[in-house]
C-alpha cells in the first residue's frame, strides 16, 4: 500500500476502486434493507388478517359459579348464551399433610391445593370477588391466564387480609387455563400452593364423557428431606436451587392413592383437566397402562391423537381424553420417574370390570399367560 501511494496517479486509481466498492456495498445494503422492510410489512399484513377482532356476545342474566375441590370438576355448562358469572373465591392459610406424618402450611385458593376449579363458557362476563381471610399473614391477588388485561387481573385484585376485591373480565378465548397468586415475592406464593385451573368451555361445548377429573401437579421444597416427619417449613434455598423434596398430584403424595384413587368402570370415557402449578418443574404426564386418545396440547383447542406422555409446562395445562377399555389399575405418574417413586408424583385410577365387557378387555390385554422356568443356551462371556 505504501509503495502504491508513492505515485499520485496510482493513489487516485486506488481511491477510485475503493469508492466503487463502497457504492456497490451501500447499494447492496439498501436493497437488503428494502427486502427486509417488505418482508416485515407482509408479516404484519398476514397477522392482522388472521386474528379477527372477537365479537363480544351480549350478556343475558347472571348466575353464581359452582366451584369444586380437586379431583372434582363442576358439571358441563348447558347454557347456549353468554351470562354474567359471579365467582367468589376465598384465600386462606391451612396446615395440611403433604405426605403421611408430614405437615406443611399451605396458602390456598378455597382451602385446597390446587385451588377450586372454575368453569365458565366462552363469551361469559366473569365478575370475580377475591377474598383474603382475616387470619392470612400476607396480601394476595390472582393472575388468571384466561384474562386478557394487565397482570391477568393481578393488580386489580390485590387484597390485604380481611379485605375483598372485585374485578370483571370477558372469557373471550376457550381453553384450560392456570390461575395463580402473583403477589411479590410471586415465587413464594406459588411455591406455597397458590394455583388452580379455570376452564373456558368453547361455546359449542365439549363432547359428553362419563367422568371428568381435575389433577394438578406441583413441586414443594421443605427444610427437612422427603418424608421427614412433623411440621416442615418452606425452604427458599432448595426452591431457588430447584431441588424439590416433593413432586405431587393434588397437593399430597396420597391425594390420588389408596381410598383416594380415581374410580371408573370399564368402557367409560374419561376427560382429565391437567395442570402444572410448578413453581419450577415441568410435568411429563403419563398414565401407565393407557394411551391418551386425545390430548388438547397446552390446554388449547387443537387435539393430538394417541399420545403416550404429554409435557405440561409450569404455569400450563392439558386436557386428556381416553376410554378405559381394560379393567385393572391405571397409574398416573410424572415420567421423570424418580419423581413418581421417590417424591410422590403418583396416582391411581381403578377401572372396575364390567361383565359384558370382560371378554373384549381380555382380547385387548390377556394378563399373564405363562410364568415358567426355562433353560438358556446363550453363553454370557465377561
Ligand atoms: Cu398469594
Amino acid at each position: 500500500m505504501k509503495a502504491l501511494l508513492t505515485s499520485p496517479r496510482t493513489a487516485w486509481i486506488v481511491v477510485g476502486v475503493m469508492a466503487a466498492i463502497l457504492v456497490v456495498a451501500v447499494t447492496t445494503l439498501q436493497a437488503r434493507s428494502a427486502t427486509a422492510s417488505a418482508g416485515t410489512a407482509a408479516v404484519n399484513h398476514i397477522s392482522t388478517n388472521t386474528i379477527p377482532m372477537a365479537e363480544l356476545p351480549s350478556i343475558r342474566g347472571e348466575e353464581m359459579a359452582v366451584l369444586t375441590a380437586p379431583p372434582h370438576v363442576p358439571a358441563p355448562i348447558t347454557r347456549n348464551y353468554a351470562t354474567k358469572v359471579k365467582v367468589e373465591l376465598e384465600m386462606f392459610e391451612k396446615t395440611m399433610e403433604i405426605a403421611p406424618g408430614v405437615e406443611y402450611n399451605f396458602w390456598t385458593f378455597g382451602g385446597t391445593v390446587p385451588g377450586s376449579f372454575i368453569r365458565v363458557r366462552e363469551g361469559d362476563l366473569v365478575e370475580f370477588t377475591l377474598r383474603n381471610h382475616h387470619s392470612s399473614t400476607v396480601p394476595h391477588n390472582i393472575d388468571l391466564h384466561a384474562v386478557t388485561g394487565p397482570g391477568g387481573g393481578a393488580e386489580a385484585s390485590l387484597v390485604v387480609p380481611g379485605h375483598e376485591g372485585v374485578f370483571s373480565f370477558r372469557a373471550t378465548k376457550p381453553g384450560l387455563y392456570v390461575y395463580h397468586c402473583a403477589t411479590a415475592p410471586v415465587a413464594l406464593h406459588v411455591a406455597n400452593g397458590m394455583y388452580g385451573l379455570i376452564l373456558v368451555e368453547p361455546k359449542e361445548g365439549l363432547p359428553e364423557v362419563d367422568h371428568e377429573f381435575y389433577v394438578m401437579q406441583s413441586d414443594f421444597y421443605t427444610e427437612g428431606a422427603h418424608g421427614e416427619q412433623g411440621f416442615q417449613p418452606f425452604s427458599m434455598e432448595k426452591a431457588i436451587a430447584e431441588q424439590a423434596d416433593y413432586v405431587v398430584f393434588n397437593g399430597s403424595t396420597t391425594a390420588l392413592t389408596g381410598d383416594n384413587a380415581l374410580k371408573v368402570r370399564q368402557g367409560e370415557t374419561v376427560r382429565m383437566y391437567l395442570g402444572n402449578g410448578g413453581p419450577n418443574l415441568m410435568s411429563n404426564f403419563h398414565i401407565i397402562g393407557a394411551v391418551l386418545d386425545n390430548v388438547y396440547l397446552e390446554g388449547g383447542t387443537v387435539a393430538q391423537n394417541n399420545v403416550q406422555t404429554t409435557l405440561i409446562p409450569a404455569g400450563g395445562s392439558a386436557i386428556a381424553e381416553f376410554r378405559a377399555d381394560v379393567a385393572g389399575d391405571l397409574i398416573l405418574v410424572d415420567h421423570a420417574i424418580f419423581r413418581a417413586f421417590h417424591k410422590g408424583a403418583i396416582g391411581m385410577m381403578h377401572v372396575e370390570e364390567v361383565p359384558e365387557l370382560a371378554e373384549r378387555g381380555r382380547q385387548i390385554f390377556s394378563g399373564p399367560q405363562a410364568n415358567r422356568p426355562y433353560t438358556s443356551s446363550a453363553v454370557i462371556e465377561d
Side-chain angles (χ1 to χ4, degrees):
M1 196 69 173
K2 197 181 172 192
L4 283 172
L5 292 176
T6 48
S7 148
R9 188 170 172 268
T10 316
W12 278 114
I13 291 169
V14 170
V15 169
V17 168
M18 286 172 101
I21 290 170
L22 195 64
V23 168
V24 170
V26 167
T27 312
T28 310
L29 274 176
Q30 282 171 341
R32 280 186 187 164
S33 149
T35 314
S37 53
T40 309
V43 167
N44 285 341
H45 184 68
I46 288 167
S47 64
T48 49
N49 266 349
T50 51
I51 307 175
M53 192 83 79
E55 206 170 296
L56 299 176
S58 56
I59 300 297
R60 222 198 310 163
E62 65 174 51
E63 64 184 44
M64 284 297 297
V66 173
L67 306 182
T68 58
H72 304 292
V73 178
I77 292 169
T78 51
R79 265 187 291 116
N80 60 0
Y81 56 91
T83 193
K84 177 170 156 183
V85 180
K86 298 170 91 165
V87 176
E88 294 178 359
L89 190 54
E90 188 171 44
M91 305 173 289
F92 50 95
E93 299 175 18
K94 195 174 172 188
T95 297
M96 296 183 279
E97 277 197 340
I98 191 167
V102 185
E103 294 196 320
Y104 189 86
N105 184 37
F106 294 94
W107 296 359
T108 74
F109 282 105
T112 57
V113 174
S116 307
F117 194 102
I118 306 166
R119 187 172 197 150
V120 300
R121 181 181 177 273
E122 179 185 357
D124 282 348
L125 173 66
V126 182
E127 184 190 88
F128 213 104
T129 302
L130 190 66
R131 300 187 169 126
N132 192 357
H133 194 267
H134 61 81
S135 65
S136 294
T137 53
V138 288
H140 296 296
N141 64 8
I142 194 165
D143 168 351
L144 300 117
H145 292 178
V147 167
T148 302
E155 292 133 56
S157 63
L158 185 66
V159 275
V160 297
H163 282 240
E164 63 179 26
V166 183
F167 71 102
S168 296
F169 68 93
R170 276 292 185 120
T172 53
K173 298 173 192 199
L176 180 64
Y177 299 94
V178 167
Y179 67 77
H180 62 92
C181 184
T183 306
V186 178
L188 173 65
H189 289 247
V190 173
N192 280 338
M194 298 198 80
Y195 39 74
L197 292 178
I198 175 170
L199 174 67
V200 180
E201 220 179 288
K203 55 182 185 292
E204 61 277 15
L206 290 165
E208 203 176 315
V209 289
D210 296 308
H211 297 275
E212 291 188 319
F213 296 114
Y214 171 22
V215 174
M216 201 164 184
Q217 182 173 319
S218 47
D219 31 296
F220 285 90
Y221 304 82
T222 52
E223 282 187 5
H226 179 95
E228 203 169 306
Q229 297 287 286
F231 181 81
Q232 292 298 328
F234 167 71
S235 166
M236 182 63 94
E237 206 173 290
K238 287 183 184 172
I240 292 170
E242 303 192 9
Q243 291 166 349
D245 295 287
Y246 296 90
V247 183
V248 295
F249 295 130
N250 290 358
S252 104
T253 61
T254 57
L256 297 176
T257 59
D259 290 344
N260 298 327
L262 305 175
K263 291 169 191 73
V264 304
R265 300 184 80 221
Q266 191 178 5
E268 287 183 327
T269 50
V270 177
R271 177 177 298 125
M272 305 195 70
Y273 296 105
L274 304 166
N276 184 6
N280 288 321
L281 305 178
M282 284 190 282
S283 170
N284 312 275
F285 186 81
H286 176 79
I287 300 182
I288 300 174
V291 174
L292 304 172
D293 293 322
N294 310 311
V295 175
Y296 295 80
L297 300 169
E298 296 171 356
T301 39
V302 176
Q304 165 73 293
N305 304 124
N306 303 329
V307 173
Q308 59 191 299
T309 301
T310 192
L311 193 60
I312 309 173
S317 69
I319 303 171
E321 297 169 343
F322 65 98
R323 195 178 54 225
D325 282 321
V326 176
D329 288 332
L330 301 174
I331 314 292
L332 286 55
V333 293
D334 181 334
H335 215 299
I337 207 71
F338 269 93
R339 297 176 187 168
F341 295 105
H342 299 268
K343 295 190 171 183
I346 196 158
M348 191 172 283
M349 182 180 292
H350 181 69
V351 183
E352 186 193 329
E353 189 172 78
V354 170
E356 310 87 77
L357 295 173
E359 181 47 34
R360 184 178 184 276
R362 278 191 288 275
Q363 285 173 22
I364 294 171
F365 180 70
S366 70
Q369 289 180 304
N371 189 330
R372 57 200 167 211
Y374 80 108
T375 305
S376 176
S377 57
V379 177
I380 312 294
E381 292 177 13
D382 285 329

